[in-house]
Amino acid sequence: MALSSRIRTLYLRRCSMYSTSILSPDSKSPLSSKEKSRAAISLLKLEKNPERILDICRAAALTPESHLDRVAYSTAVSKLKESNYYEGIREFIRDSLARPDFKSERFVKHFIVLFGQAGLIKDAVKLFDEMPKTGVDMSVKALNSLLFSCIVSGEYGEMKRIFSDFPRKYGLQPDCDTYNTVLKGFCESGSSSSAYSLLSEMERNGIKPSAATLSILIAGFYKEEKFSDVDKILDLMKKYGVHSGIGVYNAKIQGLCKLKKSDEAKGLLDEIFSKKMKPNNVTYSHLIHGFCKEGRLDTAKDLFKEMINRNVKPEGVCYFRLIHYLCHGKDFEAALTIYKDSMAKNWVPKIVTMKALVNGLISIEKVGEAKEIIAFVKEKFPAKADKWTEIEEGLSK
């Protein structure tokens, strides 16, 4: 067993009893790693006390190696940011970096992005600068994380400065992911036209744009409604020999849906099939969201059914959006069906969506179904049980 694994095992054993008492007070046996992570995420979503948030994270012994723990880290940082508890965020990340088993490029990259999520871009830059002091070599991958951190925090000017200065300063050679990240920043900040100079620079440096590169640009130009530029990028695909894969189609579909041109976007789905290609869950998710925003719920439901029938598995966000818009459109029976499918996968919509569904079911006299949802939510989120009890008591009157 590697040294880092042994250290982590000993650390988890020490935290075992402490974590159970915080994460699941009623449990009579220690929780598994996954149980700790899930319990931590549920508690973090509802907790408002900054110190309590930090206690929950310590109890869960989080590690960026686990997907669930990365979700918990992100949730904790978001909650601490809401409380303006920036020193707590710094303490949280410093404590994590102090652990011997966290001395790796992968983990440092994650913490750089978390600083960006918190809006602490100076701390992200400092962490990057001090990587050698932590025993981790600087790399272009870490630079890419720092650039992405700037995008997450909305610091596009700082992103440009870092991209301009840091490769020379630290002897790092930008790769395709570096350029893709900066292009994403340009597109998100409404400066997609700056992309052409970057494409020229990539060519001078012998870096061939990928399908992801051009997909980013297509999405950016659609966002700014620069349709002639979209056509130019499609021509560049031929120049660079880039295949118009599903990622490119998804970018085009997303752009059209954002412009409320969902019918045109759906036409691209037909084109995908005509080329014997397979749409993925992102393809359908964009289309479903687009038709929902246009109030065309029947088409959105048909696409969801088609997605399932074609064995394309929706992600949680697709379920949640569809439930939300169905409730907004007062199609509560359809929302209930989608909700049950979501719950079968242990995917729980936001409380505000659940309340809309419960109130909607009550309005169409499906009180039994409403009570079942209330009972589940009270058990899942005991901290909010009182509010649901009020609703439940109203059903008995």
Side-chain angles (χ1 to χ4, degrees):
M1 184 186 291
L3 177 60
S4 61
S5 297
R6 289 202 299 270
I7 292 172
R8 175 161 173 76
T9 300
L10 292 170
Y11 180 82
L12 290 175
R13 285 175 183 168
R14 285 201 308 271
C15 292
S16 180
M17 295 308 296
Y18 170 69
S19 65
T20 300
S21 65
I22 287 182
L23 301 175
S24 184
D26 298 329
S27 178
K28 295 181 180 179
S29 58
L31 302 176
S32 68
S33 294
K34 282 190 176 180
E35 287 172 336
K36 287 179 186 176
S37 302
R38 291 194 178 102
I41 292 169
S42 295
L43 290 171
L44 288 169
K45 286 180 178 178
L46 298 172
E47 188 57 62
K48 293 183 179 180
N49 184 318
E51 290 299 337
R52 180 71 176 171
I53 288 169
L54 293 175
D55 285 341
I56 291 168
C57 293
R58 294 186 189 105
L62 302 176
T63 168
E65 198 167 11
S66 156
H67 170 70
L68 280 174
D69 283 7
R70 289 196 295 273
V71 173
Y73 266 111
S74 180
T75 304
V77 167
S78 293
K79 298 289 285 189
L80 291 169
K81 184 182 178 184
E82 286 175 13
S83 301
N84 295 318
Y85 193 36
Y86 295 106
E87 192 50 46
I89 295 172
R90 294 187 179 98
E91 177 189 342
F92 178 35
I93 294 177
R94 276 199 305 266
D95 288 349
S96 295
L97 284 166
R99 286 172 52 178
D101 54 328
F102 278 19
K103 304 295 183 184
S104 75
E105 176 199 62
R106 181 183 177 187
F107 291 168
V108 172
K109 283 167 47 187
H110 181 70
F111 295 128
I112 286 173
V113 173
L114 284 178
F115 272 133
Q117 183 185 334
L120 298 172
I121 199 63
K122 288 183 179 178
D123 293 84
V125 173
K126 183 181 178 184
L127 176 54
F128 178 83
D129 282 335
E130 296 179 351
M131 281 181 68
K133 292 182 182 179
T134 67
V136 181
D137 291 334
M138 282 183 173
S139 67
V140 70
K141 288 183 178 180
L143 173 64
N144 296 345
S145 292
L146 181 58
L147 291 167
F148 182 69
S149 181
C150 293
I151 295 173
V152 172
S153 63
E155 295 283 351
Y156 301 107
E158 183 69 356
M159 178 200 74
K160 292 177 185 177
R161 184 189 75 81
I162 289 169
F163 175 67
S164 175
D165 297 347
F166 279 31
R168 286 196 306 273
K169 182 178 179 180
Y170 295 107
L172 299 171
Q173 183 63 47
D175 60 12
C176 190
D177 286 339
T178 311
Y179 285 101
N180 288 353
T181 304
V182 176
L183 286 169
K184 182 177 176 65
F186 282 152
C187 291
E188 288 193 7
S189 62
S191 304
S192 55
S193 294
S194 301
Y196 292 113
S197 62
L198 272 187
L199 287 174
S200 298
E201 184 178 323
M202 290 176 75
E203 197 166 341
R204 288 195 302 273
N205 292 335
I207 298 174
K208 180 183 174 182
S210 64
T213 310
L214 302 178
S215 296
I216 290 166
L217 295 178
I218 288 170
F221 286 129
Y222 265 123
K223 180 181 177 182
E224 295 181 37
E225 301 188 35
K226 295 179 177 178
F227 303 116
S228 61
D229 286 293
V230 172
D231 292 335
K232 288 178 185 176
I233 298 302
L234 294 176
D235 289 337
L236 283 175
M237 290 178 67
K238 297 173 186 176
K239 173 186 173 181
Y240 294 122
V242 175
H243 174 62
S244 184
I246 196 64
V248 173
Y249 272 103
N250 287 347
K252 292 162 73 175
I253 287 170
Q254 181 185 30
L256 289 168
C257 287
K258 283 184 175 180
L259 295 172
K260 295 187 176 181
K261 296 184 177 182
S262 298
D263 278 322
E264 193 174 335
K266 191 170 182 293
L268 291 176
L269 179 63
D270 297 332
E271 188 176 313
I272 289 170
F273 289 129
S274 71
K275 292 186 176 181
K276 308 298 181 184
M277 295 170 64
K278 291 183 178 180
N280 57 22
N281 60 356
V282 177
T283 315
Y284 279 104
S285 184
H286 287 326
L287 285 167
I288 290 167
H289 192 202
F291 280 108
C292 281
K293 286 193 297 182
E294 291 182 35
R296 298 172 62 184
L297 298 178
D298 286 340
T299 306
K301 288 189 291 184
D302 288 342
L303 283 165
F304 187 80
K305 288 176 186 175
E306 179 183 317
M307 184 182 190
I308 301 296
N309 291 337
R310 290 185 179 276
N311 202 30
V312 179
K313 297 179 180 178
E315 291 188 344
V317 67
C318 186
Y319 281 99
F320 303 158
R321 281 176 177 167
L322 190 50
I323 295 168
H324 166 79
Y325 280 104
L326 287 170
C327 288
H328 187 72
K330 301 189 184 304
D331 191 349
F332 301 113
E333 291 193 17
L336 177 62
T337 300
I338 304 297
Y339 161 80
K340 288 179 177 178
D341 289 344
S342 178
M343 293 310 304
K345 296 175 173 59
N346 202 31
W347 291 339
V348 186
K350 291 182 178 179
I351 291 293
V352 64
T353 302
M354 301 279 272
K355 282 188 175 180
L357 178 55
V358 166
N359 290 328
L361 291 171
I362 294 169
S363 72
I364 60 172
E365 299 183 352
K366 286 190 171 288
V367 177
E369 287 86 346
K371 284 184 175 181
E372 286 179 11
I373 294 174
I374 291 171
F376 167 79
V377 176
K378 285 173 67 177
E379 182 181 352
K380 188 79 174 176
F381 305 105
K384 300 283 186 179
D386 289 346
K387 293 182 179 179
W388 288 97
T389 300
E390 293 174 12
I391 298 173
E392 192 174 28
E393 288 174 350
L395 297 179
S396 304
K397 296 177 181 179

